[in-house]
Amino acid sequence: MTDQDEPPPFLYVVVCAAGVAAGVGELIAAAQEQRWRVGVFATPTAMNGFFDPAAVEARTGRPIRSAWRRPGDPRPFPDPDAVVVAPATFNTINKWAAGIADTLALGTLCEVAGQGVPIGVLPCVSDALAAHPAYQDSLIRLRGMGVRFADPGQDGEFAWERALDLVGRTGR
């Protein structure tokens, strides 16, 4: 098999419940322009009106994963070449660092963290919550696991493309 026969790398995008999640299509479009195939995982709360699931599914050509699949059901996505968590909330970051896998999104993050897959995170956390000791401890723990973080932007702009910079343009 030549490089030309290999499919483009696969990117998991994990979307959490934050107001900026409505713009996740920008991240998906930027990833696809860089030849990533994209599959989206969303926290259950994010699925409750934080972004347009139909638009995301149309853009990716794949269903959004938010709930566990039943035993015996096929895996709808291949293994990831990289993972982006954007926007990443206080709750998700703290649970992930603690190893809590009570949603599919968190379970997926816990699993891929142990596989050596590049993971980039754009937090969407208020200054008050970012100052919380548990959050600071979680950042230290996740960075120690190789997770890369970036400032998501300034002046009210969420810089989605920074997430792709964290994982590299072509995956592993």
Side-chain angles (χ1 to χ4, degrees), residues 5-162:
D5 295 332
E6 291 182 28
F10 202 90
L11 177 69
Y12 286 3
V13 173
V14 178
V15 182
C16 301
V20 297
V24 72
E26 294 177 42
L27 172 60
I28 295 166
Q32 290 172 330
E33 286 172 14
Q34 295 177 19
R35 292 196 20 86
W36 288 96
R37 295 173 298 148
V38 179
V40 175
F41 290 82
T43 64
T45 305
M47 290 294 293
N48 193 21
F50 283 85
F51 69 100
D52 183 348
V56 166
E57 289 180 351
R59 179 81 198 193
T60 64
R62 294 176 173 80
I64 294 169
R65 303 274 327 271
S66 183
W68 301 100
R69 61 185 169 88
R70 291 185 304 260
D73 285 353
R75 294 184 65 214
F77 299 160
D79 289 338
D81 294 290
V83 177
V84 166
V85 188
T89 60
F90 176 85
N91 192 46
T92 293
I93 290 169
N94 286 325
K95 282 184 166 185
W96 178 19
I100 297 170
D102 62 351
T103 68
L104 177 61
L106 281 162
T108 299
L109 290 173
C110 288
E111 183 175 47
V112 298
Q115 296 174 337
V117 174
I119 303 171
V121 179
L122 292 181
C124 187
V125 177
S126 71
D127 291 343
L129 289 175
H132 194 285
Y135 181 75
Q136 294 302 314
D137 290 346
S138 293
L139 294 179
I140 292 166
R141 176 173 245 172
L142 291 171
R143 283 185 178 119
M145 295 164 44
V147 176
R148 302 168 193 155
F149 289 83
D151 180 352
Q154 299 174 17
D155 303 324
E157 294 293 320
F158 198 76
W160 294 99
E161 70 282 353
R162 288 188 183 162

